[in-house]
Amino acid sequence: MVNLSRLPSALKISTVALLLMIIMTVLTLPAQAKVTRYLKGNSADVNPTLAGPAYNFGGGGPDVDEAIQWMINQVRGCTDCATKVDVVVIRSSGDDGYNDAIASMNGVDSVETLVITSRDDSQKANVVNPIKNAEVIFFSGGDQCEYTRNFKNTAVEAAVKSVNARGGAIGGTSAGSMIQSDFVYNACSDTVETREALEDPYEDISFTYDLFKWANMKATLVDTHFSKRDRMGRTMTFIARQIRDGISDSALGIAVDEDTSVVVDKNGMARVMGGAAYFVLADHMPEVCEPQTPLTFSNYKIWKVESGDTFNLKNRPTSGYYLRSVNKGRLSSDPY
């Protein structure tokens, strides 16, 4: 301990200043990130021949276990066989809530949950290797801004893509679904809902591009918690932005209700499980899509797809839709 009373005045001042500097430095140091891991099942890697890729986009709320089992079966290439797969659940917060449920499903060798909270940890071999060795990846809900910031252009991103390239399955729910579309509403500025989006298509609305580019998902934007939170207007705004900003000539919103999943096989056939999903197409330039100005966009094409029904993402339908328009931020009629 330094006894300041015995030091000359000038040295006292220097010593106090130095101590204050050390204290402030310690206080401002970032907390050390730590990846929390939960493993259930066999820790030894399995290496089956995979029959995917396959995808599962959950709408949030209660998960559709049938859709997760569907992913497992798709990559195994069977519904009742001895082949087993390793599943990795990726989270930005939370615990091992998925492990027991997934471990009890047919064909599961192990389930490991990784809670990844920093970009630095997304580069570490002990985090990346379990992902690379998995056959099924599932992103939990949470914050899509954290996912995009922590994973884009990292080894985690590359590892997930390698699973897809091997014929594995990639799934998720809520934010974990939204990050898998071609155009990702990242909510990094703020979370906007329908009223705000229609009134100003630019305020607090930002997107991430080129994260995951899955087959048959070109020019798509996934939205979730859809009907319950009345998000049709914001989905319409998000896809209009892609055209107005010169990102794409058209954009397809894949909007999934809670307690619902849209599963997509390797041929691009999407099937709805649970509730309903909406496929919302913008295929022309908006009449008005400017900052601080309500949106005007005529004739969105909307397909409402109920549980058990399908939508072909590879060869998209040209009929069976209904039309809705937005005029000065107001929907022409009930869009659901």
Side-chain angles (χ1 to χ4, degrees), residues 202-223:
Y202 282 83
E203 185 174 1
D204 293 327
I205 297 175
S206 56
F207 303 97
T208 295
Y209 300 103
D210 300 320
L211 181 55
F212 303 122
K213 300 182 75 67
W214 303 142
N216 303 310
M217 290 292 288
K218 183 177 181 181
T220 61
L221 183 144
V222 174
D223 207 351

Side-chain angles (χ1 to χ4, degrees), residues 37 112 114 121 124-130:
R37 306 174 66 161
E112 183 165 12
L114 302 174
D121 287 337
K124 294 178 179 177
N126 65 338
V127 175
V128 173
N129 288 337

Side-chain angles (χ1 to χ4, degrees), residues 79-137:
T79 57
D80 185 15
C81 63
T83 303
K84 292 185 177 293
V85 298
D86 294 317
V87 181
V88 167
V89 178
I90 297 176
R91 313 185 67 133
S92 59
S93 62
D95 53 26
D96 63 345
Y98 278 100
N99 282 23
D100 286 345
I102 295 178
S104 68
M105 293 182 181
N106 293 333
V108 174
D109 185 61
S110 71
V111 186
E112 183 165 12
T113 292
L114 302 174
V115 184
I116 306 172
T117 59
S118 80
R119 187 173 178 84
D120 286 345
D121 287 337
S122 295
Q123 305 283 24
K124 294 178 179 177
N126 65 338
V127 175
V128 173
N129 288 337
I131 298 172
K132 288 170 61 177
N133 293 332
E135 286 72 49
V136 176
I137 305 294

Side-chain angles (χ1 to χ4, degrees), residues 232-255:
M232 180 68 82
R234 84 170 197 169
T235 296
M236 289 173 161
T237 301
F238 294 166
I239 59 179
R241 276 280 307 274
Q242 309 314 309
I243 301 172
R244 178 62 184 85
D245 294 350
I247 304 300
S248 179
D249 292 334
S250 67
L252 180 70
I254 302 175

Side-chain angles (χ1 to χ4, degrees), residues 8-77:
S9 296
L11 189 55
K12 285 181 185 179
I13 295 173
S14 298
T15 303
V16 170
L18 178 60
L19 290 172
L20 288 173
M21 184 180 300
I22 293 171
I23 292 169
M24 292 303 296
T25 300
V26 170
L27 289 175
T28 57
L29 282 174
Q32 292 298 309
K34 178 183 177 183
V35 174
T36 306
R37 306 174 66 161
Y38 305 92
L39 175 66
K40 185 177 181 68
N42 184 12
S43 61
D45 184 40
V46 295
N47 189 26
T49 300
L50 301 181
Y55 310 96
N56 169 20
F57 310 120
D63 291 291
V64 181
D65 288 349
E66 179 188 1
I68 299 174
Q69 182 68 69
W70 178 91
M71 286 195 301
I72 295 164
N73 292 342
Q74 285 290 300
V75 300
R76 294 194 304 156

